[in-house]
Amino acid sequence: QAPLVQSGGGSVESGGSLRLSCVASNYIYSKKCLAWFRQAEGKERETLARVYPNGSTTVADFVKDRFTISLDNNVNTLYLQMSNLKPEDTAKYSCAAEVGACPPGWGVPGGPLGDYWGQGTQVTVSS
């Protein structure tokens, strides 16, 4: 079983919605240290949303009114529901996981890299 397998993404007009999915292996999902990131061309990777081992979630302030992170324990899947998409949301979106201590700030420059990464999916929002 692949560690993380993403689906969803694609092209959408401004104001549209998309849902990204990330299916995790049993081992990875059991650790519940998961996150969504994106990286636009020429920019650094940024954190969009995180899941923590205690079950709590956070969403970055700059998207929290439009993006939602959720889990489906029945199918080991992490979701990112995105609504009211804007052209500036255009980027490659990736899910990732830590299976260790789930340190703060993992997955972005300056922090631990993250143990597993999905294959990434492009989201393109046209105006």
Side-chain angles (χ1 to χ4, degrees):
Q1 182 181 8
L4 295 170
V5 179
Q6 292 181 227
S7 60
S11 298
V12 66
E13 292 186 350
S14 182
S17 298
L18 286 172
R19 189 178 75 164
L20 305 182
S21 301
C22 177
V23 181
S25 69
N26 290 337
Y27 173 67
I28 290 173
Y29 194 83
S30 70
K31 300 301 182 181
K32 293 292 197 304
C33 181
L34 304 160
W36 286 103
F37 303 89
R38 72 183 182 188
Q39 187 166 16
E41 190 170 346
K43 296 186 178 181
E44 287 192 342
R45 184 164 57 234
E46 54 187 3
T47 306
L48 297 173
R50 296 184 184 273
V51 176
Y52 297 90
N54 65 2
S56 64
T57 61
T58 58
V59 180
D61 286 342
F62 59 87
V63 293
K64 68 187 305 179
D65 59 338
R66 300 186 293 120
F67 291 11
T68 302
I69 189 170
S70 62
L71 295 170
D72 186 336
N73 295 328
N74 293 320
V75 289
N76 287 7
T77 301
L78 176 73
Y79 297 103
L80 185 69
Q81 178 67 48
M82 305 183 292
S83 60
N84 192 22
L85 284 161
K86 305 175 181 180
E88 52 263 42
D89 294 317
T90 295
K92 182 177 181 181
Y93 286 67
S94 299
C95 62
E98 270 272 338
V99 295
C102 201
W106 69 271
V108 291
L113 181 60
D115 294 318
Y116 297 95
W117 288 82
Q119 76 273 28
T121 186
Q122 180 67 32
V123 171
T124 301
V125 185
S126 58
S127 58

